[in-house]
Amino acid sequence: MLLQAEHISKIYGSGENRVEALKDVSLTVDRGEMLAVMGKSGSGKSTLLHIVGGVDSPNEGSVIFDGELVNPSNEKALAAYRRRKAGFVFQDFKLLLELTVWDNLLLPLTLDRRKPEMEYAEHILSLLGLEEKRNKHPEELSGGQKQRVAIGRAIIHNPDIILCDEPTGQLDSDTEGEILEIFDKLHEQKKTIIIVTHDNKVANRCERTITLSDGKILEK
Ligand SMILES: Nc1ncnc2c1ncn2[C@@H]1O[C@H](COP(=O)(O)OP(=O)(O)OP(=O)(O)O)[C@@H](O)[C@H]1O
Ligand SMILES: [Mg+2]
């Protein structure tokens, strides 16, 4: 087992704005597994992904990664977890507009003051079909191209787990097929991948699907 989330609860806001986004959610993910997380809009999918990735902290419960507690009160360890162990593909890309494609791709390494292995970075760039875009800025790219940069950035530092929020949500079906092939390749390389998706095509590529409903995992 690589990841264990235990009795996770997450509350946003207070008073009449109080939202219980996750209600006592427990989940384990094995090393090398490719897991789909489905559910309606607002069911808590992104919240769950952010919590297991150490981007957001739960109100209750704990996340254990590779036998170690992801401790919300240790910001330094949390930042190291986010930077080294996890790779994120966010729903809204979160590319840095002032950086080129190449610099966005290398960002996890730059932030960590690590020297990129140029050959591997070139390989990722060509895998994603972005060679000709390397010096462009995000605003010059299509949605699919931005998403590909985001995927490259999520895997450039060889993370233990790749966390993806609607990675093909804004893509046409050809581009979606290409992106799914990239995920298949990562899966073949025994990467652990969690993909939030509305799309059955994406979920069908995964070994297992969990469905969230109103902050809880639906029992099958
Ligand atoms: N930062 C926030 N502040 C307040 N409420 C939030 C925040 N983030 C999420 N929520 C609320 O928590 C609930 C779960 O949101 P979440 O974004 O996890 O859902 P989701 O399943 O990812 O939805 P979608 O499919 O639309 O992306 C929703 O009711 C949402 O409005
Ligand atoms: Mg979401």
Side-chain angles (χ1 to χ4, degrees), residues 12-13 19 21 39-48 91 165-166 198:
Y12 291 112
V19 177
K40 290 192 191 130
S41 180
S43 58
K45 304 180 298 295
S46 296
T47 303
L48 180 63
Q91 205 163 4
D165 206 342
E166 292 284 353
H198 284 106

Side-chain angles (χ1 to χ4, degrees), residues 9-32:
S9 294
K10 178 69 185 180
I11 294 157
Y12 291 112
S14 61
E16 41 181 70
N17 295 323
R18 188 177 189 277
V19 177
E20 225 179 322
L22 294 174
K23 301 169 184 167
D24 194 18
V25 168
S26 295
L27 170 73
T28 60
V29 183
D30 284 332
R31 198 179 279 279

Side-chain angles (χ1 to χ4, degrees), residues 6-200:
E6 287 186 308
H7 303 294
I8 301 288
S9 294
K10 178 69 185 180
I11 294 157
Y12 291 112
S14 61
E16 41 181 70
N17 295 323
R18 188 177 189 277
V19 177
E20 225 179 322
L22 294 174
K23 301 169 184 167
D24 194 18
V25 168
S26 295
L27 170 73
T28 60
V29 183
D30 284 332
R31 198 179 279 279
E33 193 174 11
M34 186 152 144
L35 173 75
V37 179
M38 299 190 84
K40 290 192 191 130
S41 180
S43 58
K45 304 180 298 295
S46 296
T47 303
L48 180 63
L49 207 67
H50 295 164
I51 288 175
V52 300
V55 173
D56 205 348
S57 301
N59 291 77
E60 277 173 58
S62 54
V63 176
I64 295 161
F65 188 85
D66 209 3
E68 274 184 50
L69 181 70
V70 177
N71 186 348
S73 54
N74 185 344
E75 185 48 49
K76 217 172 151 185
L78 210 55
Y81 171 62
R82 285 194 297 260
R83 271 183 203 163
R84 302 207 179 121
K85 305 276 172 83
F88 290 94
V89 180
F90 291 99
Q91 205 163 4
D92 56 355
F93 316 130
K94 294 201 195 301
L95 298 179
L96 296 189
L97 301 180
E98 64 277 21
L99 297 185
T100 62
V101 163
W102 181 250
D103 289 337
N104 267 290
L105 182 70
L106 296 181
L107 195 64
L109 298 169
T110 319
L111 285 175
D112 212 20
R113 299 202 176 92
R114 277 153 77 189
K115 230 172 117 196
E117 269 181 46
M118 286 305 167
E119 232 172 87
Y120 183 64
E122 290 289 350
H123 165 72
I124 299 282
L125 199 71
S126 75
L127 180 77
L128 296 167
L130 290 167
E131 294 106 319
E132 282 162 26
K133 302 290 176 190
R134 84 169 58 221
N135 295 319
K136 301 278 184 210
H137 286 80
E139 64 200 4
E140 300 170 275
L141 305 178
S142 70
Q145 290 162 345
K146 284 183 207 168
Q147 192 61 293
R148 281 185 257 162
V149 178
I151 291 169
R153 187 185 55 183
I155 61 179
I156 194 77
H157 55 308
N158 200 18
D160 291 324
I161 191 162
I162 305 164
L163 303 166
C164 310
D165 206 342
E166 292 284 353
T168 61
Q170 307 200 32
L171 309 181
D172 62 62
S173 61
D174 283 352
T175 317
E176 176 180 38
E178 287 169 26
I179 300 284
L180 289 178
E181 274 171 31
I182 294 168
F183 282 116
D184 282 346
K185 273 187 202 154
L186 293 168
H187 187 212
E188 276 166 27
Q189 293 166 16
K190 302 272 182 285
K191 294 283 177 202
T192 310
I193 310 174
I194 303 182
I195 307 182
V196 168
T197 183
H198 284 106
D199 189 338
N200 281 315

